[in-house]
């Protein structure tokens, strides 16, 4: 399985918890040697503007470092989506995250909606006609939900629940539908971990989630699946949580 990563994601492009120094290093050091690393290219304005308004793109461009890193992150999601379309599961180890980026605004450490940009590109190329986006980040991906509001092609799900058991049950339930999709994309945020902001999931739970997505994709999506990093802020556990998810997600 390929992990999409670019060295420029090490750069500190903003002052927020997603952009802190050491965050990507903590993940890369646990994945290196286990997975193939592939470098993405910058997404084009055309790709980004399938989701975002020109004015929003222009405002991000006002900070050239931020724009460069954010457009490489979007390019990473695009590459992961293209690989998944070709039958190769892939994970975009990217930052900044994207699920709080709406067409005309953004917040929550997000600028461009990486997963939405990847899905829209596949849709506009006619490669897929439907997609399921599963978001297991602690926070609701309002940007992704807004992007696809009213869409008949793309379904966005963000499971919830007040306890670990209830949460996992809800997540599994969202994957039990018999509806078929051309691809499943995962907004993989690890901030619901017991040692992160959400204080809930165990590292092994990410292995189970990865397996459930894999099994769902084989049954309903011709095996086409990719994930992209969203949140996750405790550097001491983030690497092993990502690794656990990828071990379940991989063939
Ligand atoms: Zn989050």
């Amino acid at each position: 399985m390929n992990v999409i990563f670019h060295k420029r994601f090490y750069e500190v492009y903003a002052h927020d918890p997603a952009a802190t120094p050491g965050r990507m290093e903590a993940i890369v050091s646990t994945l290196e040697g286990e997975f193939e690393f592939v470098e993405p290219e910058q997404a084009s304005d055309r790709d980004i503007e399938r989701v975002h308004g020109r004015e929003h793109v222009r405002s991000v461009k006002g900070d050239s470092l931020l724009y460069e890193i954010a457009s490489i992150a979007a390019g990473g999601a695009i590459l992961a989506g293209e690989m998944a379309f070709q039958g190769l599961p892939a994970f975009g180890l990217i930052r900044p995250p994207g699920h709080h980026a709406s067409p005309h605004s953004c917040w929550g450490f997000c600028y461009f909606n990486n997963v939405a940009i990847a899905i829209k590109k596949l849709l506009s190329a006619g490669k897929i006609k439907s997609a399921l986006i599963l978001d297991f980040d602690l926070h609701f991906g309002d940007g992704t939900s807004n992007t696809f509001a009213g869409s008949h092609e793309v379904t966005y799900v963000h499971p919830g629940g007040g306890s670990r058991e209830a949460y996992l049950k809800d997540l599994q339930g969202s994957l039990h539908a018999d509806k078929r999709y051309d691809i499943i994309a995962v907004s993989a945020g690890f901030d619901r971990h017991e040692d992160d902001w959400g204080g809930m999931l165990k590292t092994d739970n990410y292995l189970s989630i990865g397996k459930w997505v894999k099994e769902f994709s084989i049954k309903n999506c011709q095996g086409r699946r990719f994930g992209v990093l969203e949140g996750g802020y405790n550097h001491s556990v983030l690497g092993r949580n990502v690794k656990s998810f990828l071990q379940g997600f991989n063939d």
Side-chain angles (χ1 to χ4, degrees), residues 45-58:
D45 281 3
R46 191 153 175 255
D47 290 332
I48 294 168
E49 286 174 5
R50 283 193 196 95
V51 170
H52 297 288
R54 230 163 240 176
E55 203 45 54
H56 178 73
V57 177
R58 198 177 355 233

Side-chain angles (χ1 to χ4, degrees), residues 61-118:
K61 277 185 173 171
D63 180 334
S64 58
L65 172 64
L66 171 64
Y67 167 71
E68 283 170 27
I69 311 294
S71 57
I72 299 170
I78 287 172
L79 182 56
E82 291 287 343
M83 284 180 166
F85 171 71
Q86 289 163 24
L88 301 166
F91 182 71
L93 178 55
I94 58 178
R95 76 175 185 184
H99 72 157
H100 296 305
S102 287
H104 305 289
S105 63
C106 62
W107 70 290
F109 330 141
C110 298
Y111 303 92
F112 295 145
N113 196 314
N114 305 312
V115 74
I117 289 167

Side-chain angles (χ1 to χ4, degrees), residues 184-199:
I184 178 168
V186 182
S187 266
F190 295 87
D191 41 2
R192 200 181 287 268
H193 187 257
E194 59 185 350
D195 295 323
D196 209 305
W197 296 354

